[in-house]
Amino acid sequence: EADIYQTPRYLVIGTGKKITLECSQTMGHDKMYWYQQDPGMELHLIHYSYGVNSTEKGDLSSESTVSRIRTEHFPLTLESARPSHTSQYLCASSDTLSDTGELFFGEGSRLTVL
Amino acid sequence: KNQVEQSPQSLIILEGKNCTLQCNYTVSPFSNLRWYKQDTGRGPVSLTIMTFSENTKSNGRYTATLDADTKQSSLHITASQLSDSASYICVVSDRGSTLGRLYFGRGTQLTVWP
């Protein structure tokens, strides 16, 4: 199994709250990603990082922000949660040296904003 | 527009039966195609990868095929088990891992009944 961990697994919060979804990996991968997944829909890339102090926005516009201060840690923060942010958030990492680009996913964080 | 289309959207089969899932893509250029299995409430896990020169690849009871000319791939599951119940996601990369972008299908939800 992949050594990539997400917390919390489930979170129910009220509108306007600030939340941080944690993601850590112990594989030493340079590349890390955040995807948003809604039922029956494809995964959408919202943020990615190619290494420490490198962060980029993905294809799907998101009001969240990310940071990459350490190789193993890639937290995602929502300053003021809204019901439209209700979704499953998946963190992933990949090895830069790999030619095939396999993604290793965490278990996901299911966020519900009331 | 680069796209990945999967069919059927959902499938129910009896335990022990075989099934085939389809993935059609329009992604160009093409680097590789992966099939991921996503159990309910978990992150996706890679089952197999197909590169341009490969036609067939097996991983236990899973056999993937690729026709790069028609841009079609299939995932065949033999002698299905209850644990095969999951969403199967087709992901196409347009270049190598360093520069490549990933295109996700919406997945096929497979349910195996006893």
Side-chain angles (χ1 to χ4, degrees), chain A residues 1 9-10 31 35 37 40-43 50 59 88 90 95-96 98-108, chain B residues 9 31-32 34 36 38 41-46 49 51 89 93 96-102 104-106:
Chain A
E1 291 193 2
R9 290 291 312 280
Y10 304 93
K31 300 168 108 174
Y35 287 90
Q37 184 181 33
M41 301 296 290
E42 63 267 43
L43 275 70
Y50 283 169
D59 307 317
Q88 164 99 320
L90 288 166
D95 184 359
T96 304
S98 168
D99 291 335
T100 65
E102 179 180 358
L103 292 175
F104 295 86
F105 286 91
E107 302 276 80
Chain B
Q9 181 178 342
S31 176
N32 60 67
R34 275 189 189 275
Y36 286 85
Q38 184 176 22
R42 309 289 290 272
V45 175
S46 177
I49 180 173
T51 57
I89 302 171
S93 175
S97 62
T98 302
L99 299 175
R101 174 178 170 166
L102 300 178
F104 289 81
R106 295 186 175 188

Side-chain angles (χ1 to χ4, degrees), chain A residues 3-41:
Chain A
D3 296 320
I4 180 165
Y5 309 99
Q6 290 186 238
T7 58
R9 290 291 312 280
Y10 304 93
L11 181 62
V12 180
I13 60 170
T15 297
K17 299 293 185 182
K18 176 181 178 180
I19 64 113
T20 296
L21 304 181
E22 302 286 350
C23 177
S24 296
Q25 52 96 4
T26 59
M27 297 173 283
H29 288 170
D30 286 334
K31 300 168 108 174
M32 296 189 74
Y33 314 82
W34 277 103
Y35 287 90
Q36 188 171 335
Q37 184 181 33
D38 294 309
M41 301 296 290

Side-chain angles (χ1 to χ4, degrees), chain B:
Chain B
K1 180 181 177 182
N2 288 323
Q3 285 187 311
V4 177
E5 301 286 344
Q6 292 188 242
S7 63
Q9 181 178 342
S10 62
L11 181 63
I12 299 174
I13 62 173
L14 294 177
E15 187 178 15
K17 298 296 185 182
N18 304 335
C19 67
T20 300
L21 314 180
Q22 299 289 346
C23 175
N24 297 338
Y25 61 93
T26 59
V27 176
S28 181
F30 171 85
S31 176
N32 60 67
L33 181 151
R34 275 189 189 275
W35 285 94
Y36 286 85
K37 178 187 179 188
Q38 184 176 22
D39 292 319
T40 300
R42 309 289 290 272
V45 175
S46 177
L47 288 175
T48 187
I49 180 173
M50 305 293 290
T51 57
F52 188 85
S53 59
E54 296 175 306
N55 298 118
T56 303
K57 183 178 287 185
S58 292
N59 177 8
R61 294 179 298 101
Y62 300 103
T63 299
T65 66
L66 175 67
D67 186 333
D69 292 330
T70 62
K71 298 189 176 183
Q72 296 179 324
S73 176
S74 66
L75 181 69
H76 185 75
I77 304 175
T78 304
S80 62
Q81 300 176 356
L82 299 180
S83 59
D84 293 331
S85 294
S87 178
Y88 292 83
I89 302 171
C90 177
V91 183
V92 179
S93 175
D94 62 1
R95 286 176 179 84
S97 62
T98 302
L99 299 175
R101 174 178 170 166
L102 300 178
Y103 297 85
F104 289 81
R106 295 186 175 188
T108 292
Q109 183 65 48
L110 175 66
T111 303
V112 181
W113 283 3

